Amino acid sequence: MADFDTKSVHAFSFNQEFFVLDVNSGSLLKIDEPTFLYLEKVLTHCSLEKAEQVLKNKVQDISEIRKEVELLINEEILFSKSIDYYESELTLKSMCLNVAHACNFACKYCFAKKGQYGERKSLMTFQVARTAIDFLVENSRNRRDLEIDFFGGEPLFAFDTVRRTIDYARISYPDRNFRFTITTNGSLLNEEIENYLYENNVSIVLSLDGSKEVNDKFRVYNNGEGTFSDIIDKIRIVTNHRKGSGGYYVRGTYTHQTLEISKTVMDLFNLGFDYISLEPVVAREKEMGICNSDLEVLKKEYEELADEFIETQKSRRWHFFHFNIDLTAGPCIQKRIHGCGAGVEYVAVSPNGNFYPCHQFDGIEETLLGNVSTGISNKELQENFRYANFLFNKKECSNCWARFYCSGGCLANNYNMNGNILIPYAIGCEIQKQRIEAALYVQYKLMEDGFEPIITEELRY
């Protein structure tokens, strides 16, 4: 039999169980250990014959295993044909309004330099936000569904601009379906603000790193004091109000010092939150940044979290953002082979109206795209981002088994860690692959136990 494209199949073990993923079709099979060992050799030697020869005296019934694998191949369940794809013409559809270069926190890992982006404190005026909305609509080629994210710093410092912008967009463009999201540290929340956001169908991302002990290591005020005690009840204004209806995520960040992510997520669960996300920090500082030696720890943590997540579903349905993988459908191939759209489908606007590829590039002058008053003027830079958003233009991504689940990773992380949007951030890639394996395992086990898959609407943050 012919040699195989080894990047089209991924065999992995998780919690002492064994699985094989056909990358092109998305087929996921649970297998026994001998079959796993055989497939590992197939992927190493690119040949059924060589794999059988290597394992002939080491694995019982190796000939029978080969026959079963051959059957799966003939039925195109494994090593299925590659998918036809093409580079889509990306069109602007979403925008981050960075309404506040100001924050009342001084989180130690903040990419935005304590919320000010290295500049003087400033808030976006309604006039700038209105012009940005007009630009989005005019350049979206009649897309009906458009997304607006309000970000900072702390965007609630500019809540009047937020409110007026939402009202303006809805009233001025009734033929468009705007989806709004806001990310907040929770400190300025009250019932009046939450009622407005809820009534206007604004999704909300609430920043909290876990228990008081974990949160207060890095999420602090300028004087170094922790923030947990001041924000927990304010965050609950939102989560209690939206209980059962969703529309929020409690989103934490973990670091080199806070790798016990299974405990952190379960602490958030036990605080009563039903929609939880936990992201790795992206930082060079040794006290915070994830290093290669942390990866083995994280593998065990994701294994423990996966089993705890599955077990708790028996008594309470809840959601962990990175376990959201749909084994039955999921996005079409054209969506999977393009990244987040930074710089092309998605741009960020700073308080002074400057355009950047996304909120993490805000303030980095060499990534300035233009301004709301003059439009996108740096066409060459935009074309560079268009090129980088296509999965197969990044060599490491095009050969990776996880390519159709991560879509090429985060361009901002690539830039911040490697100085090049085309070079993937290696540690981030390894963590992503761990999370994808965990998500595949979780969804398979839930379906095996008779549960409906747990898939929630994605929020951008």
Side-chain angles (χ1 to χ4, degrees), residues 12-207:
F12 65 99
S13 62
F14 198 94
N15 274 336
Q16 299 181 325
E17 295 190 52
F18 303 94
F19 300 88
V20 59
L21 171 73
D22 183 76
V23 175
N24 290 324
S25 68
S27 299
L28 180 68
L29 304 176
K30 185 177 176 182
I31 56 179
D32 58 24
E33 186 172 8
T35 305
F36 173 75
L37 294 173
Y38 176 69
L39 283 169
E40 276 196 318
K41 297 303 180 185
V42 171
L43 295 173
T44 301
H45 297 282
C46 305
S47 165
L48 298 182
E49 293 84 354
K50 290 178 183 177
E52 183 178 356
Q53 186 178 1
V54 169
L55 294 174
K56 196 164 190 177
N57 298 318
K58 299 176 183 178
V59 174
Q60 244 184 343
D61 301 323
I62 190 66
S63 296
E64 291 302 314
I65 293 172
R66 177 182 168 175
K67 288 178 183 177
E68 291 176 5
V69 171
E70 283 183 320
L71 180 62
L72 293 171
I73 294 170
N74 291 333
E75 293 181 354
E76 296 192 7
I77 295 172
L78 288 182
F79 296 102
S80 63
K81 295 177 182 177
S82 62
I83 305 167
D84 292 330
Y85 58 83
Y86 56 90
E87 190 168 355
S88 298
E89 185 178 354
L90 304 182
T91 303
L92 186 65
K93 66 176 183 178
S94 57
M95 182 176 282
C96 173
L97 297 182
N98 230 351
V99 294
H101 278 190
C103 192
N104 51 349
F105 285 14
C107 302
K108 297 176 184 178
Y109 52 61
C110 180
F111 74 87
K113 299 179 177 62
K114 299 183 179 179
Q116 292 181 217
Y117 294 82
E119 302 176 353
R120 295 176 59 185
K121 291 182 179 180
S122 59
L123 302 179
M124 183 179 290
T125 64
F126 170 62
Q127 287 71 28
V128 169
R130 180 181 62 190
T131 306
I133 295 295
D134 293 340
F135 180 88
L136 172 62
V137 173
E138 290 166 9
N139 290 273
S140 60
R141 296 191 181 178
N142 295 318
R143 282 181 179 268
R144 185 173 184 275
D145 297 321
L146 301 175
E147 299 177 15
I148 304 290
D149 306 329
F150 297 103
F151 203 80
E154 175 45 56
L156 291 183
F157 275 128
F159 182 64
D160 182 62
T161 294
V162 170
R163 179 182 53 77
R164 294 178 69 186
T165 303
I166 292 170
D167 294 346
Y168 173 78
R170 292 247 168 87
I171 292 169
S172 301
Y173 301 102
D175 59 325
R176 304 301 176 98
N177 178 31
F178 288 96
R179 178 185 173 202
F180 296 100
T181 302
I182 191 167
T183 298
T184 175
N185 64 28
S187 62
L188 303 179
L189 283 169
N190 56 41
E191 289 187 2
E192 180 183 354
I193 289 173
E194 160 56 9
N195 286 338
Y196 174 84
L197 296 175
Y198 182 80
E199 288 166 6
N200 283 275
N201 199 29
V202 180
S203 298
I204 187 164
V205 179
L206 303 150
S207 299

Side-chain angles (χ1 to χ4, degrees), residues 137-367:
V137 173
E138 290 166 9
N139 290 273
S140 60
R141 296 191 181 178
N142 295 318
R143 282 181 179 268
R144 185 173 184 275
D145 297 321
L146 301 175
E147 299 177 15
I148 304 290
D149 306 329
F150 297 103
F151 203 80
E154 175 45 56
L156 291 183
F157 275 128
F159 182 64
D160 182 62
T161 294
V162 170
R163 179 182 53 77
R164 294 178 69 186
T165 303
I166 292 170
D167 294 346
Y168 173 78
R170 292 247 168 87
I171 292 169
S172 301
Y173 301 102
D175 59 325
R176 304 301 176 98
N177 178 31
F178 288 96
R179 178 185 173 202
F180 296 100
T181 302
I182 191 167
T183 298
T184 175
N185 64 28
S187 62
L188 303 179
L189 283 169
N190 56 41
E191 289 187 2
E192 180 183 354
I193 289 173
E194 160 56 9
N195 286 338
Y196 174 84
L197 296 175
Y198 182 80
E199 288 166 6
N200 283 275
N201 199 29
V202 180
S203 298
I204 187 164
V205 179
L206 303 150
S207 299
L208 183 71
D209 283 357
S211 66
K212 177 176 171 57
E213 178 186 6
V214 171
N215 183 83
D216 289 354
K217 280 182 181 291
F218 293 102
R219 297 193 65 78
V220 297
Y221 293 111
N222 273 314
N223 62 7
E225 291 185 6
T227 58
F228 181 92
S229 297
D230 291 343
I231 62 172
I232 186 63
D233 288 338
K234 293 180 179 181
I235 286 175
R236 283 196 171 115
I237 291 173
V238 173
T239 60
N240 288 342
H241 185 214
R242 301 184 184 214
K243 200 165 189 67
S245 63
Y248 78 85
Y249 263 92
V250 174
R251 188 260 196 216
T253 299
Y254 67 84
T255 72
H256 173 68
Q257 293 188 30
T258 52
L259 293 176
E260 294 180 346
I261 61 171
S262 59
K263 182 179 185 305
T264 297
V265 172
M266 296 313 296
D267 283 344
L268 291 170
F269 169 79
N270 289 322
L271 284 169
F273 305 133
D274 290 330
Y275 299 85
I276 299 167
S277 175
L278 198 63
E279 294 280 349
V281 71
V282 179
R284 296 182 181 278
E285 295 84 351
K286 289 184 179 179
E287 67 165 329
M288 292 185 291
I290 309 298
C291 57
N292 282 313
S293 61
D294 294 331
L295 294 175
E296 190 59 36
V297 175
L298 289 173
K299 166 75 171 175
K300 294 176 181 176
E301 287 290 324
Y302 278 114
E303 287 184 332
E304 183 174 343
L305 176 59
D307 275 347
E308 290 188 275
F309 179 84
I310 293 165
E311 181 63 27
T312 52
Q313 296 303 315
K314 297 173 183 176
S315 58
R316 173 175 143 200
R317 296 288 270 175
W318 62 288
H319 309 261
F320 182 63
F321 183 79
H322 292 292
F323 291 165
N324 283 351
I325 283 184
D326 190 346
L327 296 182
T328 60
C332 70
I333 185 61
Q334 284 307 118
K335 289 184 179 180
R336 292 183 184 224
I337 63 175
H338 290 86
C340 66
V344 188
E345 285 188 315
Y346 172 63
V347 295
V349 184
S350 66
N352 64 6
N354 282 343
F355 283 128
Y356 293 94
C358 85
H359 59 285
Q360 292 194 66
F361 288 101
D362 191 341
I364 302 175
E365 288 309 304
E366 59 264 34
T367 66

